[in-house]
Amino acid sequence: MRALQRLIQGRVLLLTICAAGIGGTFQFGYNLSIINAPTLHIQEFTNQTWQARTGQPLPDRLVLLVWSLIVSLYPLGGLFGALLAGPLAIMLGRKKSLLMNNIFVVAAAVLFGFSHRAGSFEMIMLGRLLMGVSAGVSMNIQPMYLGESAPKEFRGAVAMTSATFTALGIVMGQVVGLRELLGGPQAWPLLLASCLVPGVLQLASLPLLPESPRYLLIDRGDTEGCLKALQRLRGTEDLASELAELEEERAACQGLRAHRPWELFRDGTLRRQVMSLVVLSSAMELCGNDSMYAYASSVFREAGVPQEKVQYAIIGTGCCELFTAFVSCMIIERVGRRVLLIGGYCLMTCWGSIFTVALGLQSSFPWTPYLAMACIFAFILSFGIGPAGVTGILATELFDQMARPAAYMVFGALMWTMLFLVGLGFPFIMEGLSYFLYVPFLVVCVCGAIYTGFFLPETKGKTFLEISEELHRLNFPRRSQGPTWRGPKVIQSTEL
């Protein structure tokens, strides 16, 4: 309750969360979901465009190939964006990187908006690539920015808002993509170009808000700027203890430069952090949640939902993830990160197992399609309450200021690569395993729960320095003392 009162007092922090989120992870979720509604319209447009150019219709398999490229260029762009995010966060800062990232959004919106008039499906492909780059940058920098700007008492809750905005973007994309709104055959260019609206909102609001205090002090040595940012973010609170903590962290990073991504894997002091990041970020993408969305339409139809009503049922799945992401923000500082991750993966294993049984028995009993439909909602709820949000803040909390940008580059590269591979391989898994298609995903969920239980330390309520010291003890258990921190000096270089 006291933390909630402090959050209300820090109105600037609330505005910072909203401004970073609306043009950040909201865009990721929004552009992930809006592409589903105009599928047939874009395929028809591709065929008509090719026929107008050559006089011959495009074969169905090539239409499908072009559509697959339009879909898959989004995660490919996300991979490029994730690799770009680290250098941007260091050279420009967290806030300026988010603002500059909207260049990709504006360019993509122009390409989408004029693609039909220009008769060019290549403009749609390029626009999807640019939106992927934008999503890759924002997915990395937004939780870094918010995690560094929040006080330790509810750092997890603030960083988890990234997942909330992702879920909100998914739901908004599903709603805007309804046939009654922008999902019709004539309005799809406007649907794709509507990504410009969140970008404009961020460009109008984020410049009025402060930069990350940690970035200003530790990376730039700007004590005065750090103090001003803290005063705006915290209101009238006594800042002496937080400034002392920041100064101590700056002292610990004295004389160091920012890590390069490959250096994380060679540094023995980061062994457990890197392993946790790789295992849990891979588990988040390989746990089957995105595939559950892909399978939802057919399950809803099997359950008797009319074809014209399936789109509304799918909106319900997005609302489930949004609800649990919001709940997680409220309880993460009470129950901790480990409980949410372990509980989420265990529940997903449970519901995924029941879903597998329901698929196998759907021809035997008339009620099994309804059980499968209930499992879809329960699986998505379980994912939203744990892995969806907690995994994204690991790079913020497990790594120090010098390693954090590189850690987010590794996290983003893994996330987008896994998203691409799952999208590519899921149709073959469906064909090869039939009713048992979810068994590989269940194995991943079990492994995620086991790893979290045995190897991931709890970070609730701890400063970044306390987390670093605990991880140092875990990485070097035979040494009785933690790392030796050097005296405070301004860092001269933070280049990757």
Side-chain angles (χ1 to χ4, degrees):
M1 194 65 185
R2 186 179 303 171
L4 182 60
Q5 290 173 349
R6 289 186 61 193
L7 184 60
I8 293 173
Q9 290 173 356
R11 288 168 299 204
V12 174
L13 180 58
L14 284 172
L15 292 174
T16 301
I17 292 170
C18 294
I22 194 67
T25 52
F26 178 90
Q27 285 276 36
F28 165 67
Y30 186 74
N31 286 279
L32 196 65
S33 63
I34 61 170
I35 198 64
N36 295 321
T39 299
L40 294 177
H41 307 317
I42 293 177
Q43 289 178 353
E44 290 174 4
F45 167 69
T46 301
N47 193 28
Q48 292 169 1
T49 301
W50 186 264
Q51 190 165 7
R53 292 176 185 175
T54 65
Q56 298 291 330
L58 194 64
D60 289 344
R61 67 181 185 279
L62 293 182
V63 171
L64 187 60
L65 176 62
V66 172
W67 172 248
S68 299
L69 285 173
I70 290 173
V71 173
S72 60
L73 280 172
Y74 186 63
L76 181 63
L79 176 61
F80 294 149
L83 299 177
L84 183 63
L88 278 179
I90 292 170
M91 291 185 295
L92 301 179
R94 286 37 167 167
K95 186 179 81 169
K96 287 182 181 177
S97 296
L98 288 174
L99 290 171
M100 292 294 293
N101 189 39
N102 286 291
I103 292 174
F104 300 115
V105 176
V106 173
V110 171
L111 289 169
F112 290 144
F114 290 98
S115 58
H116 190 273
R117 184 181 296 271
S120 172
F121 57 83
E122 294 87 352
M123 292 173 68
I124 302 175
M125 297 169 69
L126 181 57
R128 287 287 290 176
L129 181 68
L130 292 177
M131 283 309 304
V133 174
S134 172
V137 171
S138 62
M139 286 286 286
N140 283 9
I141 294 181
Q142 181 189 333
M144 192 190 314
Y145 174 45
L146 296 179
E148 292 177 359
S149 299
K152 67 177 183 179
E153 288 82 359
F154 47 96
R155 181 180 61 236
V158 171
M160 283 261 309
T161 58
S162 298
T164 305
F165 277 99
T166 298
L168 180 62
I170 289 173
V171 174
M172 286 301 299
Q174 292 169 339
V175 171
V176 174
L178 290 173
R179 286 186 292 270
E180 295 83 353
L181 296 177
L182 295 181
Q186 302 301 321
W188 63 263
L190 289 177
L191 174 63
L192 297 182
S194 62
C195 62
L196 182 63
V197 176
V200 170
L201 289 175
Q202 185 177 72
L203 287 171
S205 57
L206 194 58
L208 307 175
L209 299 163
E211 176 60 277
S212 159
R214 269 186 166 76
Y215 173 79
L216 291 172
L217 181 66
I218 300 175
D219 290 65
R220 287 290 173 255
D222 186 357
T223 304
E224 184 179 352
C226 172
L227 182 59
K228 288 181 179 178
L230 280 175
Q231 287 171 339
R232 293 191 64 195
L233 289 167
R234 306 290 184 265
T236 58
E237 289 181 22
D238 180 15
L239 303 174
S241 61
E242 189 163 2
L243 274 175
E245 176 208 328
L246 288 173
E247 287 288 357
E248 191 177 358
E249 189 175 347
R250 180 170 74 164
C253 297
Q254 175 264 329
L256 304 177
R257 63 166 174 79
H259 284 67
R260 297 177 175 88
W262 54 89
E263 292 175 343
L264 300 181
F265 296 90
R266 299 202 302 252
D267 191 339
T269 63
L270 299 174
R271 184 171 55 248
R272 185 177 292 253
Q273 294 94 306
V274 172
M275 185 182 300
S276 299
L277 185 70
V278 170
V279 171
L280 294 177
S281 59
S282 299
M284 181 182 71
E285 291 302 327
L286 297 177
C287 67
N289 185 69
D290 294 329
S291 304
M292 191 67 81
Y293 276 113
Y295 211 63
S297 297
S298 59
V299 171
F300 291 150
R301 285 194 294 269
E302 286 286 338
V305 178
Q307 177 63 39
E308 64 274 10
K309 302 294 183 184
V310 167
Q311 60 178 346
Y312 303 108
I314 291 176
I315 292 175
T317 62
C319 291
C320 284
E321 189 168 339
L322 175 60
F323 171 73
T324 49
F326 181 77
V327 170
S328 295
C329 285
M330 298 295 103
I331 66 174
I332 186 171
E333 296 300 346
R334 181 183 296 271
V335 302
R337 285 68 162 152
R338 282 164 47 86
V339 171
L340 290 180
L341 274 177
I342 295 172
Y345 279 124
C346 288
L347 287 172
M348 289 165 70
T349 303
C350 173
W351 295 116
S353 301
I354 298 174
F355 181 70
T356 300
V357 173
L359 288 181
L361 298 176
Q362 63 181 355
S363 59
S364 303
F365 301 98
W367 47 265
T368 49
Y370 300 96
L371 177 61
M373 186 168 65
C375 287
I376 287 178
F377 284 103
F379 191 93
I380 292 171
L381 284 166
S382 304
F383 176 77
I385 205 167
V390 177
T391 309
I393 67 176
L394 292 178
T396 297
E397 296 195 322
L398 297 182
F399 293 86
D400 62 25
Q401 194 76 8
M402 295 299 96
R404 194 170 294 131
Y408 267 106
M409 290 173 69
V410 172
F411 169 73
L414 274 171
M415 188 196 79
W416 289 103
T417 302
M418 296 297 178
L419 187 65
F420 176 78
L421 291 177
V422 169
L424 192 66
F426 186 67
F428 300 101
I429 294 175
M430 285 181 63
E431 184 178 351
L433 297 181
S434 185
Y435 299 140
F436 300 100
L437 80 164
Y438 251 77
V439 172
F441 301 126
L442 298 180
V443 173
V444 172
C445 291
V446 172
C447 291
I450 292 173
Y451 182 88
T452 303
F454 283 100
F455 299 106
L456 185 69
E458 182 57 72
T459 57
K460 178 183 71 172
K462 298 176 182 176
T463 66
F464 285 119
L465 212 55
E466 289 169 346
I467 295 169
S468 295
E469 290 170 353
E470 180 179 355
L471 286 166
H472 189 275
R473 288 193 297 270
L474 292 172
N475 283 320
F476 302 102
R478 295 184 181 180
R479 299 184 187 181
S480 59
Q481 62 180 14
T484 302
W485 306 118
R486 292 179 282 268
K489 290 184 182 179
V490 175
I491 296 170
Q492 299 300 320
S493 172
T494 57
E495 64 181 353
L496 281 175

